Amino acid sequence: MALNRSSADTAELVVGTAKKVIADLSEFDPDGTPNLKVYAEMMADHPDLALYEVTFYPERWESVVGRDGPGAAESDAEFAARAAEELQQLVREHRGFDAPRCPGHEHAVTPVAGETARWTCPEDPDHFSAAIGEYHRR
């Protein structure tokens, strides 16, 4: 169900979603240092959509994932799952690995939308499920 929200609320949702997905996509070295560094920001030059840019370092890959402004047709959870899937695909294409990975399995978790957006094991949702933004807290 679409929610009526202001452009500022939409921008906050988009950037907040980006930060959650990015945190989940980051793999960590044994010392706790993320080996995938990205940033997200609003793009001020497109007033009709809320957009963000993600750059992967040390290489520079850029992408935008947008959401229609106030009255968007997709729910917040649907947007978060779509954004997660698009960013997950970007990592796969440009960095050559799947992230985040399903604990104990060799495949990536899949973003799904329900009441909230979640990462789940594509083979067995009971094996692993975590809210987007909470993957590393599990």
Side-chain angles (χ1 to χ4, degrees), residues 25 52 63-66 81-91 111:
L25 290 174
Y52 60 84
S63 180
V64 293
V65 178
R82 179 174 60 84
E85 183 175 17
E86 290 178 22
L87 289 169
Q88 190 177 45
Q89 181 63 31
L90 186 72
V91 170

Side-chain angles (χ1 to χ4, degrees), residues 18-39:
K19 289 179 180 178
K20 288 178 182 177
V21 172
I22 289 164
D24 288 347
L25 290 174
S26 294
E27 299 275 324
F28 289 85
D29 292 331
D31 66 356
T33 305
N35 61 19
L36 174 63
K37 297 178 182 177
V38 293
Y39 72 90

Side-chain angles (χ1 to χ4, degrees), residues 4-16 42 50 67 69-70 76:
N4 288 326
R5 62 174 74 242
S6 71
S7 294
D9 289 343
T10 299
E12 185 178 319
L13 171 72
V14 171
V15 171
M42 293 306 298
R67 177 163 189 193
D76 292 354

Side-chain angles (χ1 to χ4, degrees), residues 84-102:
E85 183 175 17
E86 290 178 22
L87 289 169
Q88 190 177 45
Q89 181 63 31
L90 186 72
V91 170
R92 184 178 299 119
E93 289 173 5
H94 295 292
R95 298 303 294 256
F97 61 86
D98 288 324
R101 304 196 48 71
C102 186

